[in-house]
Amino acid sequence: MGLLKHLRRKKLDRIPFPEQWRRILADHIPQYEKMDAKQREIFEKKTRYFMAEKSFEGCGGMNLDERKTLLIAALACVPLMGGVSDLYPYLRSVLVYPSDYQAPYRESGEDGVVSEGVESRSGESWDQGILVFSWDEVAYDLRHPADGSNIVFHECAHQLDYEWGATMENFSWHRKAGEPGMAATLKTSYQKLLFRLEKGLPVRIDDYAATNIHEFFAVMTETWLERPDRVRNDWPEVEKVLSGFYNLNPDFL
Ligand SMILES: [Zn+2]
């Protein structure tokens, strides 16, 4: 960490965390409720650094007030509680639209035909260091904290994937003697998902995970953070690599 950033954080640490913010976190972030006093202190610090160091921008007429900024920053810091990343170093800006927004797309099909158009989106992560959210979607997720789906956790997982190459073949964070690497485990589990979907078997995760290995990792992450029981029961091998990668227990025990 640079000296300037370090000094700025020290300065922030001297200002007491607002009680009003504590109430907002307690009301909306169940993971905060589960944390002990020490974990809460770390979480509050990270959340405040995130708010200070990333640029938040309301788009499409969005009135991005302090409460909304706080809640997005707090959600983004939940996956970081085990220390996987120092606040997503490549992330610079968080853009927030009031609701689903229109974005141009361009993709080439297997036949080489390129299709272009405009599609409706609720969130995305760019490798140029930008996260984009629809506030409606974030608010929905705040009201449904145990449905296994959370757009902020999802997009933040993509940021970590860029940072660490978590889904890359040569990723070896979790590799121990005799154990397959994280990417290999994810790949095998991804194949299992495709197989189960093909056979019409239940999967209990968003089938968007079948899109590709990156989406598989992001969907598994959001499900695990909200419903660790589901991943633990249905995808124990994935739960093992996620616990190792994030170095945390989503139940904060
Ligand atoms: Zn995604």
Side-chain angles (χ1 to χ4, degrees):
M1 192 194 313
L3 180 63
L4 264 182
K5 192 189 267 185
H6 178 73
L7 292 175
R8 268 203 311 265
R9 288 184 179 186
K10 281 259 164 252
K11 205 169 152 189
L12 273 177
D13 288 347
R14 287 197 289 273
I15 310 166
F17 196 81
E19 278 306 320
Q20 169 68 10
W21 288 12
R22 286 207 172 105
R23 277 193 295 276
I24 295 171
L25 294 182
D27 283 348
H28 298 281
I29 312 278
Q31 287 87 359
Y32 179 75
E33 284 276 77
K34 292 179 193 164
M35 290 174 197
D36 63 25
K38 184 76 205 146
Q39 288 170 326
R40 280 187 184 194
E41 192 191 327
I42 296 168
F43 184 68
E44 289 170 358
K45 280 186 182 178
K46 283 182 191 291
T47 299
R48 189 142 69 173
Y49 300 156
F50 190 100
M51 290 170 81
E53 292 170 20
K54 311 299 179 188
S55 136
F56 279 82
E57 203 181 314
C59 304
M62 177 76 200
N63 169 29
L64 194 56
D65 59 20
E66 189 179 73
R67 179 180 164 277
K68 294 186 178 98
T69 307
L70 170 70
L71 286 168
I72 292 173
L75 285 172
C77 289
V78 169
L80 306 185
M81 284 301 289
V84 64
S85 164
D86 178 26
L87 296 186
Y88 314 97
Y90 300 106
L91 175 66
R92 297 187 317 274
S93 302
V94 181
L95 312 185
V96 187
Y97 286 83
S99 51
D100 282 9
Y101 53 94
Q102 303 294 315
Y105 73 90
R106 188 174 203 274
E107 56 187 22
S108 36
E110 279 168 23
D111 52 6
V113 177
V114 175
S115 56
E116 288 184 73
V118 172
E119 64 186 4
S120 185
R121 292 188 193 159
S122 56
E124 61 197 299
S125 170
W126 299 354
D127 50 6
Q128 297 92 332
I130 295 172
L131 288 176
V132 191
F133 297 116
S134 138
W135 175 255
D136 277 355
E137 187 71 23
V138 176
Y140 179 91
D141 290 336
L142 286 166
R143 290 195 303 274
H144 302 86
D147 65 357
S149 165
N150 185 295
I151 189 86
V152 179
F153 294 162
H154 180 104
E155 304 306 340
C156 285
H158 284 312
Q159 284 293 317
L160 294 172
D161 196 2
Y162 297 138
E163 184 180 345
W164 292 110
T167 53
M168 306 292 273
E169 292 290 343
N170 60 1
F171 181 76
S172 62
W173 176 298
H174 195 60
R175 190 170 300 172
K176 293 181 192 145
E179 268 186 57
M182 176 165 170
T185 303
L186 290 175
K187 200 169 160 189
T188 309
S189 308
Y190 175 63
Q191 298 298 341
K192 183 173 121 186
L193 172 74
L194 297 186
F195 175 81
R196 291 189 70 88
L197 287 173
E198 216 172 86
K199 298 277 176 219
L201 299 166
V203 293
R204 293 211 299 163
I205 59 164
D206 187 343
D207 60 12
Y208 184 63
T211 309
N212 57 46
I213 190 74
H214 310 293
E215 297 306 339
F216 181 74
F217 173 69
V219 170
M220 277 295 180
T221 293
E222 61 179 313
T223 310
W224 177 66
L225 288 170
E226 286 205 344
R227 292 298 303 271
D229 57 316
R230 220 180 262 179
V231 179
R232 204 171 290 140
N233 293 332
D234 297 5
W235 304 88
E237 66 291 354
V238 175
E239 131 84 12
K240 202 170 160 212
V241 291
L242 292 181
S243 303
F245 178 72
Y246 286 97
N247 185 34
L248 67 79
N249 177 342
D251 288 320
F252 290 95
L253 298 174

